[in-house]
C-alpha cells in the first residue's frame, strides 16, 4: 500500500519559491499548487521554473479547490494574518513568513485560531536553521553558557532597502517595493531584519519574558534614496532598542537598511553567560556564518571555533512538513512569534513617544 502524500501549497512566489523547493525535498509531501496575484510571476516561476501542477491567481481559490494539508504564506506582511486565518480555516497547517503579522493583535488572533482548530502554525525564523545556529543552541542546551544575561545583535546594511537595494535582497519591479510602504509592511528594517536577530537571541536565551523596551527609530537616508525612483518612503531606515526581561537579562538590538557603515551587509550576535560567551557573524558580508565560543576552564580562558563540517541540517520548510507528517513539534512555536511582535510593537511605540514602554 502506498503511503498517503500530504498536499502542500504556497502563496506568494518571491520567498515562497524557497518554500516550494523545501517541500519538494520531503518524500511524504507533494507540492500540488501555488498562488500569486502577479500573473507574470505565476507564469514564469510557478508554471515554467517550478512546474507546479496547478497555479492559481488567488489564494482563496487554491484553498477552496485543493484542500491542502500544508500551506506557506509568503506574501507582503499586510496579508500574513488574513491569509493564515483563511488557510487554517480551510483545514491546513500553516508556515507563515516572518514577521508573523503587522502587530501583536493580529499575531495573537492567528495563534488563537490555530489552537482552536488544532492545526500547526509555524513562523519562518529561518536563521535558526543554519548549522552554526544549531551548534550554538547545542552549546546552550548542554550548559556551556550557564545563565545568559546579556546579548547584542546587529544587522546593518550600507544601502540595502528591499526593492531599491542591491544584490540578493533586491526584488526588481513592483514586487519588493511594498517593504518600505508602512501600510503594507508595518515597519522597516526592524520588522524585516531585526525580527530575525531578535528571535535568534531570544531562542538561545530560552525566550525570557519581556518587561521594558526603550526604542528609537530614524529615517535619515531612506526618503532621499526612494525619491530617486519617485517612490515614497514611509518607514524607518534604522532602529535601535534595549529590551529588558523579567529575569534581569537584556538584549541590545540594531537593524538598518541604509546606514553609513563600511560593510555592505553585516550581521552578528553576541551572547554572554556565566559560563561562556558566543559570537556569531556573517562571512564576507554575505549569508554564510561562522561562530566562536569563549569560556574559562581551571582559570584559563579559551576561544574555540567549530571545525567544519557541521551536521547536515534540513531546511525549515522540510522540518515544518516533517512536523505535520509525523505530528511532532516544529522548532518555531507561534507563541514565540507573538512575543516577538509584542516587543516590536513596544519598540515602535517607544520610538514614537520618546519614552520607555513597560510590557510585562
Ligand atoms: N525568512 C526569510 O529569511 C525571508 C526572506 C525574504 C522575505 N521574507 C518574507 O517573505 C514575505 C514575502 O517577501 P518577498 O521578499 O517574497 O516579497 P516579494 O514582493 O518579492 O514577493 C511577494 C509575492 O507575493 C505576491 N502577493 C502579494 N499579495 C498577494 C496575495 N494577496 N495573494 C497571493 N499572492 C500575493 C506578490 O505578487 C509577490 O509575487 C515577507 O513577509 C518577507 O518578510 C522572509
Amino acid at each position: 500500500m502506498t503511503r498517503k502524500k500530504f498536499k502542500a501549497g504556497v502563496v506568494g512566489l518571491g520567498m515562497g519559491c524557497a518554500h516550494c523547493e523545501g517541500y519538494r525535498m520531503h518524500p511524504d509531501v507533494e507540492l500540488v499548487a501555488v498562488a500569486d496575484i502577479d500573473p507574470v510571476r505565476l507564469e514564469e516561476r510557478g508554471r515554467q521554473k517550478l512546474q507546479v501542477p496547478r497555479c492559481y491567481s488567488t489564494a482563496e481559490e487554491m484553498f477552496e479547490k485543493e484542500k491542502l494539508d500544508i500551506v506557506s504564506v509568503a506574501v507582503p506582511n499586510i496579508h500574513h494574518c488574513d491569509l493564515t486565518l483563511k488557510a487554517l480555516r480551510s483545514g491546513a497547517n500553516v508556515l507563515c513568513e516572518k514577521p508573523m503579522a503587522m502587530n501583536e493583535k493580529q499575531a495573537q488572533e492567528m495563534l488563537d485560531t490555530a489552537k482552536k482548530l488544532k492545526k500547526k502554525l509555524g513562523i519562518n525564523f529561518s536563521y535558526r536553521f543554519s548549522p552554526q545556529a544549531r551548534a550554538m543552541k547545542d552549546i546552550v542546551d548542554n550548559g556551556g553558557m550557564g545563565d545568559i544575561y546579556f546579548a547584542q545583535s546587529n544587522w546593518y546594511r550600507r544601502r540595502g532597502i528591499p526593492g531599491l537595494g542591491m544584490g540578493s535582497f533586491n526584488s526588481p519591479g513592483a514586487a519588493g517595493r511594498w517593504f518600505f510602504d508602512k501600510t503594507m509592511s508595518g515597519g522597516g528594517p526592524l520588522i524585516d531584519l531585526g525580527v530575525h536577530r531578535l528571535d535568534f537571541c531570544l531562542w538561545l536565551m530560552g525566550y525570557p519574558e519581556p518587561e521594558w523596551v526603550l526604542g528609537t527609530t530614524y529615517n535619515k537616508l531612506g526618503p532621499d534614496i526612494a525619491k530617486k525612483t519617485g517612490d515614497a518612503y514611509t518607514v524607518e531606515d534604522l532602529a535601535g532598542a534595549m529590551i529588558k526581561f523579567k529575569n534581569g537579562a537584556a538584549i541590545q538590538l540594531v537593524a538598518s537598511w541604509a546606514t553609513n557603515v563600511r560593510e555592505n551587509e553585516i550581521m552578528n550576535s553576541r551572547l554572554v553567560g556565566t559560563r561562556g560567551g558566543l559570537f556569531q557573524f556573517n562571512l564576507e558580508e554575505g549569508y554564510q556564518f561562522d561562530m566562536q565560543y569563549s569560556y574559562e576552564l581551571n582559570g584559563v580562558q579559551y576561544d574555540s571555533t567549530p571545525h567544519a563540517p557541521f551536521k547536515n541540517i534540513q531546511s525549515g520548510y522540510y522540518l515544518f512538513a516533517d512536523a505535520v507528517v509525523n505530528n511532532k513539534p516544529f522548532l518555531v512555536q507561534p507563541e514565540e512569534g507573538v512575543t516577538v511582535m509584542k516587543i516590536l510593537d513596544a519598540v515602535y511605540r517607544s520610538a514614537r513617544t520618546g519614552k520607555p514602554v513597560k510590557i510585562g
Side-chain angles (χ1 to χ4, degrees):
M1 204 174 71
T2 50
R3 198 172 146 144
K4 175 202 163 186
K5 288 245 185 199
F6 286 70
K7 293 197 291 175
V10 171
V11 192
L13 290 174
M15 188 61 190
C17 295
H19 292 235
C20 291
E21 282 160 10
Y23 292 145
R24 279 197 162 145
M25 300 295 286
H26 200 290
D28 295 321
V29 172
E30 191 182 359
L31 176 71
V32 295
V34 290
D36 198 298
I37 53 170
D38 177 350
V40 177
R41 280 202 167 177
L42 202 57
E43 178 58 32
E44 290 179 1
R45 300 185 179 188
R47 289 200 185 89
Q48 292 176 22
K49 185 159 180 275
L50 294 163
Q51 304 197 348
V52 183
R54 289 174 293 285
C55 296
Y56 293 92
S57 53
T58 71
E60 288 82 355
E61 192 188 353
M62 178 174 82
F63 300 156
E64 164 79 27
K65 294 206 170 135
E66 297 289 343
K67 303 287 174 233
L68 300 162
D69 302 296
I70 299 166
V71 164
S72 273
V73 172
V75 292
N77 305 346
I78 190 173
H79 303 303
H80 286 193
C81 177
D82 175 43
L83 290 180
T84 295
L85 296 179
K86 284 178 177 159
L88 289 168
R89 288 176 186 141
S90 77
N93 300 277
V94 178
L95 177 59
C96 179
E97 264 303 341
K98 51 51 60 170
M100 183 167 176
M102 299 282 276
N103 51 49
E104 183 197 357
K105 188 164 174 277
Q106 290 185 348
Q108 188 65 50
E109 189 182 357
M110 292 157 74
L111 167 63
D112 293 343
T113 306
K115 271 190 177 162
K116 195 170 125 212
L117 297 172
K118 297 191 170 38
K119 295 292 171 195
K120 288 192 193 300
L121 173 58
I123 311 304
N124 190 26
F125 287 136
S126 44
Y127 287 80
R128 288 196 200 184
F129 296 97
S130 76
Q132 294 76 18
R134 301 300 285 272
M136 289 168 79
K137 183 71 171 142
D138 275 353
I139 290 171
V140 173
D141 289 349
N142 287 310
M145 288 288 284
D147 176 24
I148 304 175
Y149 51 90
F150 191 74
Q152 215 177 11
S153 200
N154 303 301
W155 189 335
Y156 282 102
R157 286 181 185 164
R158 188 167 189 159
R159 296 289 183 273
I161 301 170
L164 299 174
M166 66 229 180
S168 59
F169 36 84
N170 183 23
S171 307
R177 296 181 113 78
W178 60 268
F179 276 94
F180 52 86
D181 173 352
K182 194 167 195 287
T183 60
M184 297 284 288
S185 61
L190 178 69
I191 204 168
D192 180 39
L193 310 178
V195 76
H196 278 303
R197 297 282 99 204
L198 177 59
D199 168 70
F200 187 64
C201 291
L202 287 168
W203 175 56
L204 292 171
M205 295 165 86
Y207 260 84
E209 219 182 312
E211 188 177 24
W212 283 96
V213 169
L214 179 63
T216 182
T217 59
Y218 304 90
N219 64 351
K220 302 279 186 193
L221 309 183
D224 280 347
I225 295 171
K227 221 181 274 170
K228 289 181 193 146
T229 47
D231 288 294
Y233 186 95
T234 55
V235 295
E236 82 280 2
D237 58 26
L238 183 145
M242 171 70 96
I243 304 137
K244 194 89 207 284
F245 299 90
K246 284 189 177 164
N247 66 2
I251 296 176
Q252 200 184 21
L253 179 72
V254 179
S256 152
W257 282 337
T259 327
N260 289 319
V261 289
R262 189 180 61 81
E263 301 87 354
N264 284 326
E265 180 138 43
I266 184 153
M267 293 174 251
N268 53 50
S269 294
R270 187 187 292 282
L271 296 106
V272 291
T274 47
R275 296 186 61 188
L278 281 167
F279 184 54
Q280 189 207 35
F281 50 96
N282 66 325
L283 298 168
E284 294 169 8
E285 302 175 19
Y287 284 69
Q288 298 293 318
F289 286 83
D290 209 343
M291 58 163 276
Q292 284 168 351
Y293 172 47
S294 304
Y295 57 98
E296 184 174 307
L297 196 63
N298 300 328
V300 182
Q301 285 150 16
Y302 296 87
D303 300 305
S304 73
T305 305
H307 219 68
F310 284 99
K311 278 179 284 182
N312 194 19
I313 303 281
Q314 280 133 344
S315 73
Y317 322 109
Y318 180 100
L319 291 174
F320 184 72
D322 205 50
V324 173
V325 168
N326 296 305
N327 194 21
K328 59 186 194 191
F330 178 56
L331 185 66
V332 185
Q333 289 301 305
E335 287 83 354
E336 297 168 337
V338 175
T339 298
V340 167
M341 290 316 305
K342 180 192 283 208
I343 295 172
L344 296 189
D345 283 2
V347 176
Y348 283 127
R349 203 175 331 136
S350 173
R352 267 197 316 274
T353 59
K355 294 192 167 68
V357 172
K358 190 157 197 316
I359 50 177

